[in-house]
Amino acid sequence: MKISEIYGLPFINIELEFRGEVLHLERVLLDTGSASTLLNADTVREVGMVPEEDDLVDIIRGVGGIEYVYTKSLDSITVDGTTLNNFQIEIGNMDYGLEIDGILGFNFMRQAGVVINANFMELSIDKP
């Protein structure tokens, strides 16, 4: 899968499914420094991903400060033809001054076996 460089950062596209609704996201930042995968609340609202009373609310910390997020479990998330089911993500405002749909974090990369080749700007999945 080709990696695009936007704002000097690596971006890919992903597909997610939530309660039977499929959503394609095209501006997802690859971030090995992010422990979890985070999606933009405005972007995922169109498939019904909104805060609900039983959602876990948390605070995440990063270079840009702190952000309040809520947690959801996706039916699935697909990157480069590899699908992980029942994948937990966080949802937040992501008001970073960039047009961004989400951040693919290390939790996905580790579980899926992501390999990033920065020389060729490619992502692949190393399946055992």
Side-chain angles (χ1 to χ4, degrees):
M1 159 181 274
K2 287 306 270 180
I3 297 171
S4 301
E5 187 174 340
I6 307 169
Y7 312 113
L9 298 168
F11 282 82
I12 61 164
N13 57 58
I14 67 172
E15 180 181 285
L16 57 88
E17 183 176 348
F18 179 72
R19 297 181 182 161
E21 297 289 326
V22 175
L23 183 62
H24 299 274
L25 303 178
E26 296 185 7
R27 292 176 82 99
V28 179
L29 176 67
L30 285 174
D31 190 349
T32 59
S34 178
S36 62
T37 296
L38 175 67
L39 301 177
N40 186 315
D42 291 334
T43 303
V44 298
R45 186 173 294 125
E46 69 183 73
V47 292
M49 234 183 285
V50 295
E52 296 172 305
E53 143 180 342
D54 59 341
D55 291 337
L56 176 64
V57 176
D58 202 358
I59 298 173
I60 58 173
R61 291 168 176 73
V63 174
I66 65 166
E67 182 172 358
Y68 291 93
V69 297
Y70 60 97
T71 302
K72 293 281 188 193
S73 182
L74 299 176
D75 297 345
S76 66
I77 182 171
T78 303
V79 176
D80 193 38
T82 296
T83 300
L84 298 181
N85 295 310
N86 301 314
F87 188 76
Q88 187 171 312
I89 50 94
E90 294 169 334
I91 301 170
N93 286 334
M94 299 189 73
D95 187 18
Y96 306 149
L98 310 171
E99 187 178 328
I100 183 170
D101 293 330
I103 295 172
L104 189 70
F106 192 68
N107 63 335
F108 179 90
M109 294 181 206
R110 175 88 171 122
Q111 193 173 342
V114 168
V115 176
I116 300 169
N117 185 326
N119 285 330
F120 293 104
M121 293 296 286
E122 292 180 345
L123 175 147
S124 60
I125 305 291
D126 189 13
K127 298 174 186 166

